[in-house]
Amino acid sequence: MVQLDAFRALAVERYVDPRAVRKSQTEYAFDVALPGSQLVRPGMTGVDTWRSELNAFLMSSRFDSSTTMTLADGLLALHGTRQSRAERIPLRVCPNCGESAKNGVQITVAASGGSCPACGGALYLADALRTHEEYNVEGSNFTPMGRVMSVAERLMTLCYLNFFADSAPDVLRHTLFVTDGPLALHGPLAPLKRRFVEHLGDLASWCEGRDLVAPLMVGIEKSGAFVEHAEQISDWIPVGHVMRLTNDYINRISGRSANNQYGVDEFYGRRFIYRTQAGDPLVITIPAASGLSPYDGSSGVEGWSAYPTLRLICEVLDSLRTRMYQHAVIPVALAHSAAALPLGVGRSVLTMMAQQNIPGLKLDMQAVQPPTYFKR
């Protein structure tokens, strides 16, 4: 979180005080270890171990110290409405026996879990994410771990949106939520896209009824085909202007067939190219207005009025540019810095973990001290 008022005040100084920069931001990260291949709980398979450990992470991870709401609560809220969260989430397939929900037979799971009506196998709330479908028994599991990171970021944002709406609605008009990457979910997580569209639309309608600006959300891409394309055409976009990418245009530049309906299954925001006041392009994703899905092909979603927060978000992003790296904005750069594990610190942390958890090793704590200017 970056306090923009405090951060912008630093621009008038010739030399920026690093202590003031530090005070203008706060950070919080989830620390979780998920099992890779060939690591199992006694009596469990690798897949079941993954499911159990992921569920424990969702149930125990609070998004903020001032509330008891966890990521599991956020997942239930996602499947509910603004007024009340869902008590149970439907599953399409049992992860134990592969039985599908059909012919009136429902497979559902609550926060406390559940059981399959066909095989009686245990079900976890985390099964709704379907990351276990990509678990690799013998090889790398970077893919499902990446899925968990992606959905944890988005559930954390959703938790904050609902928390502010419940406790301090006016904060919503002063807060911009920035996601590193597009507002989209891929792979087994893709079906959750529809839930995000509906839930954010429900929240936007709730805000409009209270004369509040709709939730300010944006996804920013740093790399990829669209970022490269934006660089190639940036000179044809006037400074301070936005280019809306139509379905036909996307199909043309990406080599897809003309009748392909791009993004309909994955995106809960619409992709734009914004050329900032500094002259460089940003590839951004913005949610559509309530009742609209960003790539549903309707005429309503193709107009500028379908994105009421677009102008305000672009104006804010103009003040957050940084030259730390290409296509960078300050909140994303600071978040990467806060979440990264530097080589020296990483070695100390891993050594300490080994000393604490492996019997017979000598305990020799090496504390990493903060810079001296933070102590003044």
Side-chain angles (χ1 to χ4, degrees):
M1 181 179 70
V2 180
Q3 299 282 356
L4 292 184
D5 289 346
F7 198 90
R8 286 168 175 163
L10 301 175
V12 301
E13 304 292 337
R14 182 176 181 182
Y15 300 106
V16 177
D17 186 346
R19 292 172 296 181
V21 174
R22 185 68 182 85
K23 290 178 181 178
S24 70
Q25 58 171 300
T26 56
E27 65 272 344
Y28 176 78
F30 291 121
D31 296 321
V32 57
L34 294 174
S37 60
Q38 302 179 7
L39 184 63
V40 300
R41 279 185 169 186
M44 285 188 173
T45 64
V47 174
D48 290 341
T49 300
W50 169 271
R51 294 169 55 212
S52 175
E53 291 293 325
L54 176 57
N55 193 71
F57 164 58
L58 295 180
M59 297 297 294
S60 62
S61 296
R62 292 187 298 162
F63 74 95
D64 192 276
S65 59
S66 59
T67 176
T68 59
M69 191 176 185
T70 64
L71 294 183
D73 295 319
L75 186 58
L76 290 168
L78 178 64
H79 286 79
T81 64
R82 172 70 199 110
Q83 287 72 29
S84 62
R85 72 175 199 178
E87 294 301 322
R88 303 189 71 86
I89 296 177
L91 303 180
R92 293 196 288 185
V93 177
C94 171
N96 300 294
C97 65
E99 181 69 18
S100 299
K102 56 185 178 181
N103 300 326
V105 178
Q106 290 188 335
I107 304 175
T108 62
V109 61
S112 57
S115 59
C116 173
C119 68
L123 300 176
Y124 302 102
L125 190 68
D127 293 337
L129 303 180
R130 296 173 54 193
T131 58
H132 56 273
E133 296 177 10
E134 295 183 305
Y135 178 83
N136 193 332
V137 177
E138 296 182 351
S140 167
N141 279 291
F142 284 131
T143 297
M145 289 181 181
R147 305 287 191 209
V148 171
M149 181 180 70
S150 177
V151 77
E153 293 171 345
R154 285 153 177 78
L155 287 177
M156 186 178 185
T157 297
L158 193 76
C159 286
Y160 269 112
L161 285 169
N162 284 279
F163 177 62
F164 288 151
D166 290 336
S167 58
D170 197 55
V171 174
L172 289 175
R173 75 167 81 238
H174 301 296
T175 306
L176 171 64
F177 294 89
V178 182
T179 297
D180 183 11
L183 299 183
L185 293 163
H186 301 279
L189 297 175
L192 290 179
K193 164 260 174 182
R194 181 174 61 86
R195 298 303 316 155
F196 271 93
V197 169
E198 293 178 359
H199 191 86
L200 292 175
D202 193 16
L203 184 58
S205 296
W206 182 88
C207 289
E208 290 170 7
R210 288 155 179 79
D211 197 27
L212 297 172
V213 66
L216 299 174
M217 297 181 62
V218 60
I220 301 177
E221 299 176 54
K222 305 190 304 297
S223 60
F226 284 88
V227 173
E228 293 174 4
H229 183 72
E231 284 288 342
Q232 293 172 345
I233 67 169
S234 62
D235 289 342
W236 280 270
I237 304 174
V239 170
H241 285 63
V242 173
M243 177 180 179
R244 178 173 52 84
L245 308 179
T246 65
N247 191 70
D248 291 340
Y249 185 86
I250 292 175
N251 288 336
R252 205 147 41 94
I253 66 173
S254 60
R256 293 176 171 87
S257 61
N259 60 352
N260 174 66
Q261 192 61 46
Y262 177 82
V264 67
D265 295 322
E266 303 92 4
F267 280 77
Y268 58 97
R270 182 67 176 254
R271 188 183 264 131
F272 298 87
I273 298 176
Y274 172 55
R275 191 176 184 194
T276 67
Q277 296 294 340
D280 54 336
L282 281 180
V283 179
I284 60 177
T285 319
I286 307 291
S290 177
L292 297 175
S293 183
Y295 286 105
D296 63 7
S298 65
S299 58
V301 82
E302 295 298 327
W304 293 107
S305 61
Y307 306 93
T309 62
L310 177 60
R311 182 187 183 99
L312 177 56
I313 288 174
C314 288
E315 290 174 351
V316 174
L317 292 180
D318 262 323
S319 66
L320 296 177
R321 300 290 292 114
T322 175
R323 292 186 176 89
M324 292 179 69
Y325 52 85
Q326 201 172 20
H327 311 295
V329 294
I330 289 167
V332 175
L334 294 178
H336 274 276
S337 176
L341 197 63
L343 183 61
V345 176
R347 176 184 177 278
S348 298
V349 169
L350 294 175
T351 300
M352 181 183 67
M353 288 175 62
Q355 292 169 349
Q356 289 179 332
N357 292 283
I358 300 179
L361 287 185
K362 179 183 177 182
L363 189 62
D364 182 19
M365 304 290 283
Q366 265 191 328
V368 179
Q369 297 295 323
T372 57
Y373 52 75
F374 288 160
K375 299 180 180 180
R376 296 176 187 170

